[in-house]
Amino acid sequence: MDFELSDDLVALREMARRFAAEEIAPHARAWDRDGEIPMEAIRKLGELGFMGTLAPTELGGAELGYLGNAIVVEEIARQCGGTALMLAAHNGLCQGHILLSGSDEQKRKYIPKLASGEMIGSWCLTEPSCGSDAAALKTRAVLDGDEWVINGSKMFITNGHRAGVFVVTARTSDESKTKGISAFIVDRETKGLSTGIKEDKMGMRASDTVPVNFEDVRIPKESLCGELNMGFIDTLKVLERGRITIGALSVGLGRGALEEALSYGKQREQFGKPLTEHQTIQMMLADMAMEVEAARLMVHKAGILQDQGQATEIESAMCKLFASEIATKACLNGIQICGGYGYTKDIPIERLMRDAKLCEIGEGSSQVQRMIISRRLLDL
Ligand SMILES: Cc1cc2nc3c(=O)[nH]c(=O)nc-3n(C[C@H](O)[C@H](O)[C@H](O)COP(=O)(O)OP(=O)(O)OC[C@H]3O[C@@H](n4cnc5c(N)ncnc54)[C@H](O)[C@@H]3O)c2cc1C
């Protein structure tokens, strides 16, 4: 067991940290207010390889692996949760699904454009009537000659407003709930595909979230991504990996809360001395630091195991669950330490808190993670 990052990963972390501090932090408040990450910023993320963290180099990706991806996402989230969520959906979900089960032709067609940031990707699983019980989805794909015809609606789709391509799950058989779903790759300009207005969210506002509708959307037979009726099984694998990214995102937000509280607490004096010299505040900071460190270790462990080709259903659920809950807690305690100023937008900690709450809901809520862990514990 080696807790030291390799020289390459340390260099990657420093590059991501510098980029986030210089190119994201100064704008994060405006992006949160306006609900948009400028395309120029996405272009720069592409130049650094951050739009293709998981894609292989031969397809134009940076091939950083799950540990490298987690390191990048933590640094970006430290400054802007919404930008990190955009990356999580683009890299982990959309590209993750194509890389997992797409054909060589599909990978060659889509991955280079996605990995460079020329095109943004979305992943459509959730529907208006089903989220946690995702396999109950109603969107349907029917084969008509050489074409699939898709009808249905998806909800809460990250990046949907600007995505050039969507990976979409749809029911293709009624024989089995989980083994009757398939995944498809749908280009944005396909007739019948439309996106609704952006959700007016509490947090993660820089990242867009929209409904996506499919009305007699006709796509070539070859747009099937993976094996027929096995799309939900692949979806679980994509989520298993994606949850490591949400764990890393949470670590970045929790660390942000700690750093902001430390910085404020050192310069704010009450009762004749800095807040950080009051023992009660010191205890709060100590707990925040301990929990962020523990969460990071869990995330890195899951990332390393994925990079070794191992399954991480439990490690992913645990790191996502723990990291997201301690992030929200760290943000709330950070606001407490910053007092009235922490409750204003003058200090970014209130934004971090709004962003952190999403990590307890998206890619499987905390309740769903506990169900996954307890099912394994109880051998159910
Ligand atoms: C900002 C944002 C971005 C998102 N991005 C995407 C995306 O890119 N692609 C995508 O497909 N989806 C996306 N989602 C959807 C997200 O994954 C779902 O919101 C999430 O899975 C929860 O589903 P739900 O909102 O329908 O809640 P529900 O499933 O209705 O659950 C509501 C509450 O009930 C709890 N609950 C549900 N079932 C049980 C149970 N059996 N036992 C105990 N408690 C239970 C849940 O934990 C939750 O607290 C996004 C959501 C948001 C808010």
Side-chain angles (χ1 to χ4, degrees):
M1 198 180 285
D2 182 0
F3 290 102
E4 290 298 316
L5 293 179
S6 67
D7 291 348
D8 282 355
L9 288 173
V10 170
L12 174 71
R13 186 183 64 194
E14 294 318 307
M15 177 176 75
R17 189 169 292 180
R18 199 169 47 248
F19 175 79
E22 290 172 4
E23 303 281 348
I24 295 179
H27 312 291
R29 186 175 170 185
W31 297 353
D32 173 69
R33 183 193 60 219
D34 301 342
E36 187 163 298
I37 306 161
M39 285 309 292
E40 177 60 11
I42 291 175
R43 191 187 59 74
K44 287 180 184 168
L45 285 163
E47 277 173 9
L48 290 176
F50 296 167
M51 297 294 281
T53 50
L54 299 166
T57 48
E58 69 263 25
L59 292 173
E63 205 171 328
L64 301 176
Y66 287 90
L67 179 58
N69 178 62
I71 287 168
V72 169
V73 168
E74 176 185 330
E75 296 306 326
I76 303 294
R78 162 63 186 92
Q79 304 299 349
C80 178
T83 304
L85 187 67
M86 178 278 291
L87 289 175
H90 174 84
N91 284 313
L93 301 183
C94 179
Q95 288 183 69
H97 204 132
I98 297 173
L99 288 167
L100 175 73
S101 45
S103 65
D104 287 348
E105 201 184 329
Q106 287 168 333
K107 290 177 193 168
R108 277 197 303 273
K109 180 174 176 191
Y110 293 105
I111 296 295
K113 284 185 192 165
L114 290 164
S116 67
E118 181 188 335
M119 184 190 264
I120 301 175
S122 261
W123 189 76
C124 308
L125 173 67
T126 307
E127 300 193 351
S129 62
C130 66
S132 301
D133 185 11
L137 60 82
K138 294 195 178 81
T139 295
R140 193 164 278 275
V142 177
L143 195 58
D144 179 24
D146 278 347
E147 291 178 328
W148 287 100
V149 185
I150 305 182
N151 278 288
S153 295
K154 297 289 179 176
M155 190 71 192
F156 297 132
I157 304 307
T158 302
N159 300 341
H161 184 65
R162 290 193 293 203
V165 67
F166 300 80
V167 174
V168 183
T169 39
R171 183 154 299 286
T172 39
S173 163
D174 292 315
E175 298 279 300
S176 153
K177 185 175 175 185
T178 52
K179 292 187 180 161
I181 292 170
S182 305
F184 299 90
I185 305 179
V186 186
D187 293 326
R188 177 170 206 104
E189 59 272 16
T190 313
K191 194 165 164 257
L193 185 153
S194 63
T195 55
I197 57 168
K198 291 183 194 173
E199 298 297 337
D200 189 5
K201 307 192 296 293
M202 163 184 166
M204 295 292 193
R205 292 180 58 84
S207 131
D208 68 79
T209 315
V210 297
V212 183
N213 302 308
F214 301 84
E215 206 181 323
D216 288 330
V217 167
R218 289 187 165 268
I219 50 171
K221 202 173 165 183
E222 305 73 50
S223 307
L224 176 71
C225 181
E227 224 181 298
L228 183 65
N229 293 327
M230 295 305 279
F232 192 71
I233 310 305
D234 290 344
T235 289
L236 295 180
K237 188 83 198 161
V238 171
L239 286 171
E240 174 182 313
R241 295 168 172 178
R243 285 171 186 149
I244 305 173
T245 312
I246 301 300
L249 203 168
S250 306
V251 171
L253 294 170
R255 190 184 109 212
L258 172 64
E259 290 174 358
E260 296 293 341
L262 266 174
S263 146
Y264 181 85
K266 280 181 192 165
Q267 51 90 15
R268 172 75 171 177
E269 291 195 2
Q270 289 296 291
F271 300 97
K273 57 183 179 182
L275 288 175
T276 46
E277 288 182 23
H278 293 280
Q279 210 174 37
T280 313
I281 303 290
Q282 291 172 352
M283 300 302 108
M284 289 167 80
L285 290 166
D287 283 352
M288 288 159 77
M290 171 185 69
E291 290 175 355
V292 168
E293 177 67 10
R296 185 184 293 112
L297 285 173
M298 292 173 81
V299 167
H300 284 196
K301 177 185 170 189
I304 289 168
L305 290 174
Q306 271 294 339
D307 287 338
Q308 291 171 350
Q310 299 191 45
T312 63
E313 185 191 29
I314 300 305
E315 290 81 359
S316 294
M318 284 183 174
C319 80
K320 194 258 186 199
L321 171 61
F322 183 74
S324 60
E325 292 193 345
I326 69 97
T328 303
K329 192 174 142 200
C331 290
L332 287 170
N333 282 333
I335 291 173
Q336 196 67 23
I337 291 170
C338 298
Y341 294 100
Y343 198 67
T344 71
K345 291 189 193 293
D346 293 349
I347 305 177
I349 204 157
E350 63 79 38
R351 171 166 50 79
L352 299 178
M353 185 272 287
R354 290 187 283 109
D355 291 350
K357 187 61 196 169
L358 182 271
C359 298
E360 295 180 59
I361 298 170
E363 294 201 31
S365 65
S366 289
Q367 286 73 22
V368 167
Q369 305 316 311
R370 287 190 168 87
M371 280 158 60
I372 293 170
I373 298 163
S374 61
R375 272 183 197 149
R376 178 73 67 88
L377 275 178
L378 300 167
D379 226 359
L380 297 175

